[in-house]
Each structure stands twice: as C-alpha cells, then as structure tokens.
Amino acid sequence: MFFTRRIKNLKFLLLILVFASLSFLMFIGADLFNHINRQRRNSNIVNLQKELYVEGNVHVNTDILNNHVEEVKVEPTEEPIVDFMNKYSDIHQQRRKHILRTCDLHRDDIPQMKNPPILLVNKKHKIVYCQTPKAGTVSWSRIMLVLSGYKDYNEVMTMTAPQVSRAWKSHVPRLSSFPKEEQDNIMATYTKFMFVRHPFTRLLSAYNDKIRMNEDRTYARGFAGYRKKILYKYSKKNETSEIKFHKFIRYVLSTKHNNAHWREMYKVCYPCDIHYDVIGHFEDIKNEAKYILKLSNVTDVTFPTASGHHLTNSSNEDKFKKAYSYIPDKDELYQRYKYDFMLFGYINPL
C-alpha cells in the first residue's frame, strides 16, 4: 500500500512538471514568434524607405505605431538643386560659346559699343544686371530694389511698373557711379547677366504696352511723341486715332535709331563687347532667375510671378499669329532683327 501510494504521487508530480514545461515552452514560443514578426515588419519598413529614397524623386512619410505602419505617403519633389545648377551651368556655357563664335564671325557687321549700357550693381551679392526692356526688366528691377534695401519684399512687389521705374533710378547704384578702377574690378569679378526674348514677341509686347490704347482708354506716359509721328506719317485724314500694329512696324522699319523698348537687343546690352556670365531667356525666366539668384547666394528673395500690373500677353500664340498676319514686310523685319535671332538662338516663325 505504501509503495502504491508513492508511485501515484510521483505520477502526479510528473504530470505537473510536464504541464508546467509545456506551458513555459508555449510562452517562450509565442514571445519568440512576436519578436521575429516585429523584426520582419521593421525590416520591411526600412527596406521600403531605402528603396524609395534611392530613387531620389519621392518623399516617404511613415508613422510607426504599435508595430505597424500607420501611413505611407509618397509625394514628388523638385529636381535636386545640384542637378538643376549643373544643368543650367551647362546651358549657359553653351550659350556663351555660341555668342562668342557668332560675334567673331559677324564682327564687321555688328557695331561696337560706343557708350556702355545701363548696368545696375549690387555689391553685397556681386551682381551686375543689364536692362533689356520688354524682357522681364520690371521684375528684375523689383529684385534689385529689394537687394538694395529700398523697401521690404512685399512692399516692392505691390508697386506698379511706373513706380518701380522711378524707384530704381534713385535707389539702385549704376556701374557709372563708381570710380573707374572700381568699375573695372566689378566687371572682372561680379556675375554679369542680361535677358533676351524672341524678337517678334518682344516687338508685339512693346506695341501693346507703349503704343496701343489701354483697356481703360489711356496711353503709356512718355510715348505720345512716337504716337503722333506714326499717326502723322501713316494715317489718312479723318481716320481713327487708334494705331494698328502694322503701322507701328512700318514706323520701326523706317527709323534707324529706335527707342530701347523695340531697339535690337544686341544694341541695348552689347553682348559682343561685354562678356556676360548669364544670358537668360525670357521664355524660361522662372528657372533662369532661380539659377542666377542661387549663383549669387540670394536666399531670402524669390523671383516675382507675373501680375496684373504689367502684363501684355504678347507671347500668346493666337494673338501673335493674328498680329503678324497683317505685316507685309516680314523679310525686311527679319533682316532688321537678324542678329538678335542669330546671337540668341531664336527661330524666325514667319
């Protein structure tokens, strides 16, 4: 009886030990499984982030909470600034080479500079800007005013074009205001830039902005003399006082010394005599301006977008075609602006 009772007790103890062992193993196994699962999930998240960031054109926004991804949001980003700057550096290197070759080839036909153009200077950022009317001049004058400390950015951006024109003449230094020795140093060491525009859209913009009657039936100030000359020369008696675009073109072709707003661009900034670091194209002015500002370490100013204060819409294709459809002397007009086309890489669309 004694041995029988002890055997039963041993069996009971063995059952308890087996049950305890199984419970312990199950607990350890579940914890190990959860740990492996967490590692696998975290590894997937890291791999996903690496994979997306390697492509270089997406942004990943992850929120890891309670061992799972709450949200993965993918958004496109802008071109990396280094790639952007390298691209535009190459563009302008090619433009400079092309202009040098064209100037050398046609030097006998392209008049040399007798008097320097208006060159605006900012000493802090070491930039020199040549104004080419009807190629983003008002916007760049705003930038030069801000950099000169005239007013803060928001105030300058609300100024009208006439206000900007009056302000830069008083508050932005010109190269000619510096001593000769300092002028030479500025031209040798500063970033020099100018802007160009398709010659024929620039002509149409000049007409719309300076010669044509505005929507409020007013005219641009300072151009009344030109309007009188055109009306006297090309209008019949009792004819309306509105000046058509083709009459403006006839006047431009009949005069040798034109206003800077429709003068040939190579006769405004003289790129065959002044070696500009950047010759920007108005058609890509947002990117060109970004490149110039970054090149000049201007970090607290962005280039202004077009506003209702100064917009002529002369680059609209339909308006362009309609305006030039009435021009009889297209070949003569091209010959007048031939070197603008050749120097700056534009194509004659007429």
Side-chain angles (χ1 to χ4, degrees):
M1 289 291 293
F2 175 77
F3 287 108
T4 302
R5 191 178 296 114
R6 291 198 62 180
I7 289 171
K8 286 182 179 180
N9 290 338
L10 285 172
K11 285 182 179 181
F12 180 75
L13 287 172
L14 285 173
L15 285 173
I16 292 174
L17 286 173
V18 170
F19 180 79
S21 298
L22 288 173
S23 299
F24 177 77
L25 288 173
M26 289 176 65
F27 174 80
I28 292 297
D31 186 68
L32 181 62
F33 176 80
N34 289 333
H35 176 73
I36 292 172
N37 196 38
R38 283 196 300 269
Q39 290 293 101
R40 188 174 296 165
R41 288 182 179 182
N42 290 340
S43 177
N44 288 340
I45 292 168
V46 171
N47 289 336
L48 175 61
Q49 291 176 322
K50 286 181 178 179
E51 182 180 335
L52 290 170
Y53 277 112
V54 163
E55 292 179 7
N57 59 354
V58 292
H59 172 68
V60 180
N61 178 19
T62 56
D63 181 16
I64 303 175
L65 183 65
N66 296 329
N67 302 320
H68 70 279
V69 179
E70 186 70 28
E71 179 185 13
V72 178
K73 185 178 181 181
V74 181
E75 298 175 350
T77 61
E78 291 185 358
E79 180 181 13
I81 192 64
V82 173
D83 294 343
F84 173 85
M85 295 299 289
N86 288 336
K87 180 173 72 175
Y88 275 85
S89 176
D90 291 342
I91 288 172
H92 288 289
Q93 184 179 21
Q94 293 303 315
R95 285 180 187 169
R96 289 193 299 270
K97 288 180 179 179
H98 170 76
I99 287 171
L100 283 173
R101 286 194 300 265
T102 307
C103 289
D104 289 342
L105 190 62
H106 300 277
R107 184 72 268 193
D108 293 340
D109 300 316
I110 297 176
Q112 291 188 342
M113 178 179 65
K114 294 181 180 179
N115 298 305
I118 296 174
L119 297 170
L120 306 186
V121 177
N122 182 268
K123 295 191 72 174
K124 179 180 178 181
H125 295 284
K126 298 184 181 299
I127 55 177
V128 177
Y129 167 52
C130 180
Q131 295 178 315
T132 306
K134 309 313 304 171
T137 301
V138 175
S139 294
W140 273 113
S141 296
R142 294 183 196 276
I143 295 294
M144 297 301 286
L145 279 169
V146 173
L147 296 181
S148 72
Y150 170 63
K151 288 182 179 180
D152 67 35
Y153 180 86
N154 291 330
E155 285 183 283
V156 172
M157 293 306 126
T158 60
M159 293 168 63
T160 63
Q163 289 172 336
V164 171
S165 181
R166 288 192 295 269
W168 73 254
K169 291 172 184 175
S170 302
H171 299 279
V172 179
R174 303 187 194 189
L175 182 70
S176 58
S177 67
F178 295 93
K180 180 64 170 66
E181 185 177 347
E182 190 170 1
Q183 288 185 37
D184 294 340
N185 179 64
I186 287 172
M187 294 302 285
T189 59
Y190 284 23
T191 298
K192 302 174 292 296
F193 71 96
M194 62 173 287
F195 267 77
V196 296
R197 184 178 185 174
H198 192 286
F200 290 167
T201 60
R202 179 171 172 262
L203 262 179
L204 182 57
S205 177
Y207 163 76
N208 285 334
D209 190 36
K210 304 302 181 185
I211 304 299
R212 183 185 180 186
M213 182 186 292
N214 296 323
E215 291 182 359
D216 60 359
R217 303 191 67 77
T218 61
Y219 293 97
R221 292 181 179 180
F223 289 82
Y226 293 103
R227 288 190 290 270
K228 288 179 181 178
K229 289 178 183 178
I230 296 171
L231 287 171
Y232 177 79
K233 198 169 184 178
Y234 301 107
S235 295
K236 299 176 183 179
K237 288 184 179 180
N238 301 322
E239 192 175 9
T240 175
S241 60
E242 183 182 356
I243 299 173
K244 299 294 186 181
F245 182 57
H246 67 88
K247 292 181 181 179
F248 168 69
I249 294 299
R250 288 178 66 188
Y251 170 77
V252 169
L253 292 176
S254 69
T255 55
K256 187 175 181 180
H257 301 289
N258 277 316
N259 183 281
H261 287 80
W262 51 85
R263 187 183 308 149
E264 299 95 310
M265 291 177 287
Y266 74 91
K267 291 183 179 179
V268 175
C269 288
Y270 296 99
C272 289
D273 299 281
I274 299 174
H275 296 160
Y276 293 95
D277 301 286
V278 177
I279 297 183
H281 281 210
F282 178 82
E283 293 77 11
D284 189 30
I285 195 168
K286 183 179 179 181
N287 286 320
E288 302 274 20
K290 177 182 175 181
Y291 173 72
I292 293 167
L293 294 175
K294 186 69 177 178
L295 194 66
S296 309
N297 294 316
V298 179
T299 58
D300 54 347
V301 172
T302 56
F303 195 75
T305 55
S307 70
H309 290 307
H310 199 67
L311 188 63
T312 54
N313 292 322
S314 303
S315 299
N316 181 285
E317 187 176 355
D318 292 335
K319 291 182 179 180
F320 176 88
K321 289 180 178 179
K322 183 178 179 180
Y324 278 93
S325 65
Y326 299 101
I327 306 300
D329 305 319
K330 294 182 177 66
D331 290 338
E332 185 181 358
L333 185 62
Y334 172 77
Q335 289 301 317
R336 180 62 175 264
Y337 294 92
K338 177 175 68 174
Y339 291 115
D340 278 349
F341 281 97
M342 294 175 66
L343 284 164
F344 308 126
Y346 288 107
I347 297 173
N348 181 10
L350 302 180

